Amino acid sequence: MLSSTLEVAFNDQLGAELYSSHLYLAMSAYCESANQPGAARWFRLQAAEEREHAMKFFGYVVDRGGRVALGPIAGPPAEFASLLDAFQRALQAEREVTARINRLYGAAVGEADYAAQAFLQWFVQEQVEEEKQAGDVVEMLAVADDVPASLFMLDRELGSRQGG
Ligand code: FEO
């Protein structure tokens, strides 16, 4: 059984993952309006992935005899200055999620909850991938430097992301 402290913390992270999904969906909507369909698809797939993350927490709280508690999801920003701005904010958001996961892991260590630590290991690894993924796109966009032909090619590449 999860301690009440970890139950609250896991529910909080469930909400944070749902917010991430919302944020990426907002970025997808921005890209659609900015005529960047490849990036829009990339963000839509990322939004779906974040929902899967949320559902992992949902399932885990239930499996450990806890009670899932859903709170409101804050509205994400609707406007972004550019595709680079959107990906920079995505990278920042992923860094914040990494910090949250690390705090959660620390709490599980503090309570000697080894099962929770094992569950969180997947997220620790996943965050390495999430930060790298967003960071790589930020670097590519910085190199593209607003050159239309480069942005067009990059949008196509983003649109080839597997999934969905
Ligand atoms: Fe669920 Fe992108 O971290």
Side-chain angles (χ1 to χ4, degrees):
M1 183 126 187
L2 273 180
S3 72
S4 57
T5 305
L6 285 184
E7 182 184 81
V8 168
F10 272 57
N11 272 314
D12 189 53
Q13 188 57 30
L14 198 178
E17 300 289 351
L18 287 175
Y19 175 76
S20 293
S21 182
H22 243 48
L23 177 64
Y24 284 124
L25 214 46
M27 289 171 173
S28 180
Y30 161 76
C31 292
E32 293 286 4
S33 73
N35 203 22
Q36 284 163 326
R41 175 179 149 76
W42 193 99
F43 280 125
R44 209 157 53 235
L45 290 173
Q46 187 63 28
E49 200 173 293
E50 297 299 347
R51 190 169 173 81
E52 285 172 20
H53 294 173
M55 292 313 294
K56 281 181 189 286
F57 279 99
F58 186 107
Y60 192 72
V61 169
V62 170
D63 287 351
R64 292 290 304 278
R67 175 76 199 265
V68 169
L70 298 173
I73 304 171
E79 292 301 333
F80 301 91
S82 62
L83 192 56
L84 177 59
D85 177 46
F87 271 99
Q88 281 172 330
R89 286 158 82 163
L91 176 58
Q92 184 55 36
E94 289 302 339
R95 287 176 175 155
E96 285 166 17
V97 170
T98 299
R100 293 180 68 97
I101 295 290
N102 288 343
R103 284 198 296 274
L104 212 46
Y105 196 94
V109 169
E111 294 196 13
D113 187 332
Y114 302 111
Q117 290 168 45
F119 170 78
L120 289 168
Q121 274 295 337
W122 185 89
F123 283 92
V124 171
Q125 292 299 326
E126 175 71 4
Q127 282 311 120
V128 173
E129 187 56 35
E130 295 278 79
E131 285 193 35
K132 175 175 167 29
Q133 203 172 239
D136 283 352
V137 180
V138 166
E139 282 175 20
M140 285 191 287
L141 281 166
V143 170
D145 198 24
D146 264 349
V147 175
S150 303
L151 288 177
F152 179 78
M153 295 301 290
L154 188 49
D155 189 65
R156 281 182 54 158
E157 187 173 330
L158 290 170
S160 69
R161 175 175 174 170
Q162 297 299 306

